[in-house]
Amino acid sequence: MSKPEVTTTRLDDAARAGWLYYVAGNTQDEIAAKLGVSRQSAQRMVSLAVSEGLVKVRLDHPIANCLDLAARLKQRFGLKMAEVVPTDPGSTSTTLGVADAAAAEMTRWLKTEAPVIVGIGTGRTLKAAIEILSPIDCAQHKVVSLTGNIAPDGSAAFYNVIFNIAEKIKARSFPMPLPVIASSPEERELLHAQPMIRSVLGLSAKADVAFIGIGDLEDDAPLFVDGFISRAELLALRQAGAVCEIVGHAFDRNGVAIEGLTNERVASALIPSRETATVIAIAKGQKKMPGIAAALKGNLINGLITDERTAEALLADG
């Protein structure tokens, strides 16, 4: 007797259960509750994901809804690439799933034989993605930091990941030995005038691909919590209409850079040109929504890795 055909819907269900079990770390009881099925059904779904070869290092069956959302994001916002991962209904993590997807996208670029320049931003999501990244020997590539790597107290900025990725891929790395935000516009200009810094800034502008995070500007904003700006500066940015920061630069809801304030002291590189580079933001969740929407409206990015819930909210927004 031939093996019965497995429908696409059943594979979707199995893939979703497999993702919740193997990636999100849910128990079968938790999967059953989240998917509204019995524990026995959840167990069968996970078993089907394994027997159909869907579970390897990554989930190997693209969930239909995720594919549809990614296609709609690309069409709506004119993106070069978009990837949507499943949403774990019970998780509050801002990195779960998207970090795995980002690591896979990085690997795709790094496995190319032709030399590429990879621009790297900073943040918790990027750090999580690089921790997942498998070691690759690709000396033909260059990795350049888009942000300064010096914290206000003179220590290495904790979420600057240029050294982490360079160690993983054995490629030449170009850190930016600058504070994220200089003490004055004059200091920034003086720092940017240094030959070594000019060289790194020039390389960042030539990036073929850039991976960036999107920072929110709520009370626990990364820029504030990590000590790069004061609470007064955070409040001033919000009063001026800022909703997010990307590589230290603050933007309003339409993706327009805020005039003055901390923006005139940001020592980081500019976001690479979307005309010449694939600029991929890795972000998900309600707190990130205003920033992701701003980045899309302002054409600050042309690539996005996010989750189902965020993608649906972006597409539903006007």
Side-chain angles (χ1 to χ4, degrees):
M1 184 179 295
S2 62
K3 182 179 178 181
E5 182 178 351
V6 180
T7 66
T8 299
T9 299
R10 285 185 66 200
L11 284 178
D12 274 357
D13 293 341
R16 191 176 297 276
W19 186 89
L20 287 169
Y21 187 77
Y22 289 101
V23 178
N26 287 262
T27 66
Q28 290 180 358
D29 285 330
E30 289 171 331
I31 295 170
K34 290 176 179 180
L35 298 185
V37 299
S38 68
R39 187 183 187 282
Q40 290 75 20
S41 293
Q43 186 177 21
R44 285 195 293 270
M45 288 179 188
V46 174
S47 297
L48 180 61
V50 175
S51 65
E52 291 294 322
L54 308 184
V55 176
K56 297 177 182 176
V57 177
R58 299 179 65 224
L59 198 60
D60 204 35
H61 177 79
I63 295 173
N65 189 51
C66 292
L67 285 176
D68 178 62
L69 288 169
R72 290 167 61 195
L73 285 172
K74 287 178 69 176
Q75 182 177 22
R76 169 78 71 85
F77 299 107
L79 302 177
K80 287 184 178 180
M81 71 81 59
E83 182 165 357
V84 177
V85 303
T87 295
D88 178 353
S91 174
T92 58
S93 170
T94 60
T95 65
L96 181 65
V98 291
D100 299 78
E105 181 66 12
M106 289 178 191
T107 299
R108 187 180 72 80
W109 279 89
L110 294 170
K111 283 189 172 180
T112 60
E113 294 185 5
V116 295
I117 299 172
V118 181
I120 294 290
T122 188
R124 292 154 177 77
T125 307
L126 268 174
K127 189 172 189 293
I130 291 167
E131 287 173 350
I132 298 168
L133 190 68
S134 298
I136 309 172
D137 191 355
C138 47
Q140 72 274 29
H141 303 320
K142 295 177 180 178
V143 184
V144 59
S145 180
L146 300 178
T147 65
N149 61 4
I150 301 174
D153 62 0
S155 64
F158 185 71
Y159 290 103
N160 188 286
V161 295
I162 185 69
F163 300 113
N164 306 65
I165 190 171
E167 184 178 358
K168 282 285 186 79
I169 69 174
K170 303 298 186 291
R172 290 187 66 193
S173 64
F174 296 81
M176 194 170 291
L178 295 173
V180 176
I181 298 178
S183 61
S184 67
E186 293 75 21
E187 182 187 58
R188 184 184 72 166
E189 294 308 311
L190 181 63
L191 291 169
H192 280 188
Q194 304 305 306
M196 178 178 65
I197 304 302
R198 286 206 309 269
S199 176
V200 176
L201 290 172
L203 188 64
S204 70
K206 297 177 182 177
D208 298 292
V209 61
F211 294 91
I212 60 174
I214 295 179
D216 65 85
L217 292 176
E218 296 191 9
D219 288 345
D220 57 350
L223 273 183
F224 168 65
V225 172
D226 296 340
F228 297 111
I229 62 174
S230 66
R231 177 165 291 279
E233 289 170 328
L234 173 64
L235 295 176
L237 285 171
R238 292 207 306 232
Q239 188 173 9
V243 299
C244 71
E245 59 87 10
I246 301 175
V247 293
H249 302 275
F251 297 91
D252 69 13
R253 61 189 301 271
N254 294 311
V256 177
I258 299 298
E259 292 187 10
L261 301 178
T262 58
N263 273 358
E264 65 182 6
R265 298 188 284 116
V266 175
S268 303
L270 296 174
I271 302 170
S273 169
R274 277 65 69 202
E275 298 296 323
T276 56
T278 302
V279 181
I280 303 170
I282 309 155
K284 70 168 187 173
Q286 185 175 356
K287 286 178 64 174
K288 303 278 187 177
M289 265 293 300
I292 302 171
L296 290 168
K297 290 175 183 176
N299 192 32
L300 304 176
I301 59 175
N302 52 18
L304 177 64
I305 296 174
T306 191
D307 74 334
E308 284 175 294
R309 184 176 293 165
T310 307
E312 288 166 352
L314 289 167
L315 290 165
D317 181 16

